[in-house]
Amino acid sequence: MIGPSSDVAGIIAHLETLRSEENISGMARFGIVTDGAIGISNPDMQKIARTIKRDHGRALDLWRAGIREARMLAIYTADPAVLTPAEARGWSEDFASWEIVDTAADLFVETPFWQQLVVDFAEDDREFVRRTAFAMIAGAAVHRKDEPDDTFITYLPLIEAHSTDPRNFVRKAVNWALRNIGKRNRTCHAPALKLSEKLAASSDKNARWIGKDAVRELSGEKLLARLRG
């Protein structure tokens, strides 16, 4: 059995008892990098995280283990109030899968320095590090409800600047960030839709795809009704 007092070795030993080659194959079909994977589903990983509870020091050690499931547990059990910018940037050096990136982005937006990370990660040319910036914007637009709307509106030029990045995991995150800003509320909707329409008319095929997809969602009757309400 594992619990709050379990060490890294004990946790990894427990994870190995749950190994599933079938799940590993399934993950690969969804584009999840399975190097070092044990094959445990995220709902099961979240149950394990609740069992072992938050422990920031142990989370850092779990990350260093280099195993997919250990790293997911590291993200789930790290403390955003204690996490340092250097630790977050250190983790980003290992980013190689959209799943890890998007999960870590949820943790990073809970930190007091999340906006600086967005700037730093967007400037980084590595595909999964840059994706992190836009996954963070997308997550923050939904979860940081007390954040001023201007925070998100001021990210629109950053979205436009990277809308021509042709790499799949970047352009999908840029699109995601744009759509989530537009869906946040009426204040954010208008400028996000305006940018979406601009990108939809771009001569760049990547920007055009991002814009057209965002326009389609931000012009939907269901969304417009919610925003009017």
Side-chain angles (χ1 to χ4, degrees):
M1 293 293 292
I2 56 171
S5 61
S6 298
D7 61 11
V8 171
I11 291 169
I12 292 176
H14 175 72
L15 295 176
E16 285 289 355
T17 69
L18 304 175
R19 177 175 288 276
S20 169
E21 297 300 328
E22 182 180 356
N23 284 353
I24 291 173
S25 297
M27 290 171 184
R29 287 195 294 272
F30 283 96
I32 295 170
V33 175
T34 57
D35 294 346
I38 294 172
I40 305 173
S41 71
N42 285 336
D44 286 341
M45 292 297 302
Q46 289 161 357
K47 290 177 185 176
I48 294 169
R50 288 193 292 271
T51 298
I52 65 173
K53 302 192 182 301
R54 182 169 283 174
D55 183 322
H56 191 72
R58 186 184 60 200
L60 298 177
D61 290 337
L62 281 166
W63 184 272
R64 284 190 282 268
I67 299 167
R68 170 199 171 263
E69 284 73 10
R71 286 185 167 171
M72 293 295 281
L73 279 181
I75 297 167
Y76 290 144
T77 60
D79 188 344
V82 178
L83 185 75
T84 68
E87 289 165 353
R89 294 186 184 101
W91 282 10
S92 75
E93 294 292 321
D94 297 320
F95 287 168
S97 176
W98 66 263
E99 177 198 38
I100 291 285
V101 164
D102 295 0
T103 308
D106 286 342
L107 170 68
F108 292 167
V109 297
E110 294 182 41
T111 67
F113 51 84
W114 72 275
Q115 293 182 58
Q116 185 56 53
L117 289 182
V118 168
V119 173
D120 293 347
F121 291 157
E123 289 178 352
D124 196 302
D125 194 50
R126 289 171 292 183
E127 182 174 11
F128 288 103
V129 180
R130 183 168 290 169
R131 178 185 174 90
T132 309
F134 295 98
M136 287 177 66
I137 295 171
V142 174
H143 299 299
R144 293 193 68 104
K145 299 187 185 302
D146 295 333
E147 191 72 36
D149 292 331
D150 282 350
T151 296
F152 299 101
I153 293 170
T154 57
Y155 281 133
L156 293 175
L158 187 69
I159 287 171
E160 182 174 8
H162 292 289
S163 64
T164 57
D165 193 316
R167 294 171 296 182
N168 187 49
F169 290 109
V170 175
R171 69 171 189 154
K172 285 188 173 181
V174 171
N175 169 264
W176 181 22
L178 178 57
R179 289 185 291 109
N180 276 13
I181 291 173
K183 293 188 291 183
R184 180 175 167 88
N185 54 38
R186 283 190 290 182
T187 301
C188 292
H189 179 265
L193 180 58
K194 183 178 179 180
L195 175 58
S196 301
E197 292 169 341
K198 179 181 179 181
L199 296 180
S202 172
S203 59
D204 182 271
K205 67 178 183 179
N206 299 294
R208 194 163 59 247
W209 176 84
I210 289 168
K212 286 184 176 181
D213 185 73
V215 167
R216 183 163 50 249
E217 182 160 4
L218 297 182
S219 300
E221 281 303 319
K222 187 175 181 180
L223 173 62
L224 294 176
R226 176 174 71 78
L227 294 175
R228 284 194 295 267

